[in-house]
């Protein structure tokens, strides 16, 4: 339900220690304390919310996200990283010894298609890929890897990033390049919307197609943007149709091998 989704994504701006935290994360933390098992907490929350499909965490233990900035300083904590005002060099997790969830590994190995993004590059997407074995399994998986590029840059994370910069950051955090296809938006964004976002230090992600092609990527350009309440969002219906077509093409291609 839209209202429940909005509630879970709600992030406290005021409230002392609650500031910067999302309600969904706090509920998950509470459920983890109650059950004593994060993976089980995710499973139960999925059941309560009637989530379609399966939601699998990358690991079933407490981890902390760190970011090394280009000037060498280390920022600790997901909510603090975008507020540092510095350019991110890399992200990593502690402790060093993290056991990936076996079900997640199995899902990656059995996947017909691996879709990455959209989402916060350094604080949502990359933390999964830097879990030991998860990134390795994604690289080794037979399934094609598709990256859905963000529509806008994100203040404190991807300021001035082009589409190829996003892919490069993904590849720099893994053993070798692994993205094979990238979905980017080709629709024009209204000037008044761009101006409003510029006031929030965000700009449309520039699609440097030649650079993407030089990186060996299959570039899929489509009108995938929609405007809801003056906020830019990916057109989920159009994206789902595109992903389904890629999946069918991939499946038919394998059956013909």
């Amino acid at each position: 339900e839209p209202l429940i989704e909005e509630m879970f994504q709600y992030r406290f701006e005021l409230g002392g220690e609650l500031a910067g935290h999302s309600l969904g994360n706090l509920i998950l933390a509470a459920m983890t304390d109650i059950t004593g098992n994060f993976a089980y907490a995710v499973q139960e929350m999925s059941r309560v919310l009637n989530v379609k499909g399966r939601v699998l965490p990358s690991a079933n233990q407490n981890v902390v996200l760190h970011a090394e900035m280009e000037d060498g300083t280390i920022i600790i904590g997901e909510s603090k990283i975008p507020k540092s005002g510095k350019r991110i060099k890399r992200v990593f997790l502690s402790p060093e010894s993290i056991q990936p969830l076996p079900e997640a590994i199995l899902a990656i190995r059995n996947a017909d298609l691996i879709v990455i993004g959209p989402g916060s590059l350094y604080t949502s997407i990359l933390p999964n890929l830097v879990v030991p074995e998860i990134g390795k399994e994604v690289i080794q998986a037979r399934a094609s890897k598709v990256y859905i590029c963000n529509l806008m840059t994100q203040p404190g994370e991807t300021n001035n990033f082009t589409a190829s910069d996003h892919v490069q950051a993904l590849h720099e955090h893994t053993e070798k390049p692994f993205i094979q296809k990238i979905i980017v938006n080709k629709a024009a964004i209204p000037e008044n919307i761009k101006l409003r976002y510029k006031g929030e230090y965000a700009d449309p992600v520039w699609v440097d197609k030649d650079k993407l092609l030089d990186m060996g990527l299959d570039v899929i350009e489509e009108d995938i943007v929609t405007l809801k309440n003056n906020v830019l969002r990916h057109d989920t219906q159009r994206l789902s149709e595109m992903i389904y077509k890629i999946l069918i093409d991939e499946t038919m291609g394998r059956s013909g091998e």
Side-chain angles (χ1 to χ4, degrees):
E1 293 294 330
L3 181 59
I4 299 298
E5 178 184 356
E6 185 178 352
M7 182 183 74
F8 265 71
Q9 292 181 346
Y10 177 78
R11 192 174 292 272
F12 293 93
E13 295 181 2
L14 303 174
E17 293 183 357
L18 290 179
H21 292 283
S22 72
L23 181 59
N25 285 346
L26 292 173
I27 292 175
L28 266 176
M31 184 68 79
T32 301
D33 282 345
I34 292 170
T35 63
N37 185 298
F38 178 65
Y40 182 69
V42 171
Q43 177 184 322
E44 285 301 294
M45 288 304 301
S46 297
R47 182 181 62 81
V48 169
L49 295 171
N50 194 29
V51 171
K52 302 298 187 292
R54 298 172 66 204
V55 180
L56 297 170
S58 297
N60 192 23
Q61 65 186 91
N62 289 327
V63 298
V64 178
L65 182 65
H66 304 251
E68 179 185 354
M69 317 311 284
E70 287 195 339
D71 65 359
T73 58
I74 304 294
I75 307 296
I76 303 173
E78 175 191 345
S79 62
K80 296 179 181 178
I81 292 170
K83 299 177 181 178
S84 69
K86 301 177 181 179
R87 192 174 176 90
I88 302 170
K89 180 180 180 181
R90 68 183 182 104
V91 291
F92 59 98
L93 301 171
S94 65
E96 290 186 8
S97 177
I98 301 173
Q99 293 300 316
L101 193 73
E103 293 90 337
I105 295 294
L106 188 61
I108 293 169
R109 290 177 179 176
N110 293 334
D112 295 310
L113 187 69
I114 296 176
V115 181
I116 298 171
S120 300
L121 181 62
Y122 286 100
T123 55
S124 291
I125 296 174
L126 281 169
N128 295 283
L129 291 172
V130 296
V131 172
E133 300 302 319
I134 292 289
K136 180 179 178 181
E137 290 289 343
V138 168
I139 291 173
Q140 294 178 346
R142 190 183 184 195
S144 288
K145 294 87 182 179
V146 182
Y147 175 57
I148 302 174
C149 191
N150 291 340
L151 301 170
M152 306 293 291
T153 60
Q154 185 171 351
E157 289 203 36
T158 56
N159 300 75
N160 302 315
F161 267 41
T162 64
S164 69
D165 289 331
H166 284 75
V167 176
Q168 186 62 34
L170 289 166
H171 289 171
E172 287 176 351
H173 283 76
T174 53
E175 295 179 355
K176 63 179 183 180
F178 66 97
I179 300 295
Q180 295 158 324
K181 304 176 188 292
I182 181 171
I183 297 176
V184 295
N185 175 55
K186 71 174 184 178
I189 295 174
E191 289 299 322
N192 64 314
I193 300 299
K194 288 197 289 187
L195 185 61
R196 186 175 67 78
Y197 270 89
K198 199 170 190 64
E200 301 173 4
Y201 304 100
D203 296 289
V205 173
W206 176 255
V207 179
D208 45 347
K209 187 175 180 179
D210 289 343
K211 182 70 176 293
L212 293 170
L213 293 173
D214 288 342
M215 296 172 76
L217 299 178
D218 179 7
V219 182
I220 305 170
E221 298 177 283
E222 290 288 347
D223 181 347
I224 55 171
V225 66
T226 186
L227 190 63
K228 293 182 180 179
N229 299 321
N230 282 328
V231 177
L232 292 173
R233 291 285 184 263
H234 282 88
D235 185 333
T236 54
Q237 179 65 34
R238 180 65 186 127
L239 270 181
S240 63
E241 293 169 355
M242 294 171 64
I243 291 168
Y244 185 71
K245 183 181 184 303
I246 294 171
L247 176 62
I248 295 301
D249 291 344
E250 291 288 326
T251 304
M252 291 180 64
R254 287 195 208 107
S255 65
E257 290 178 356

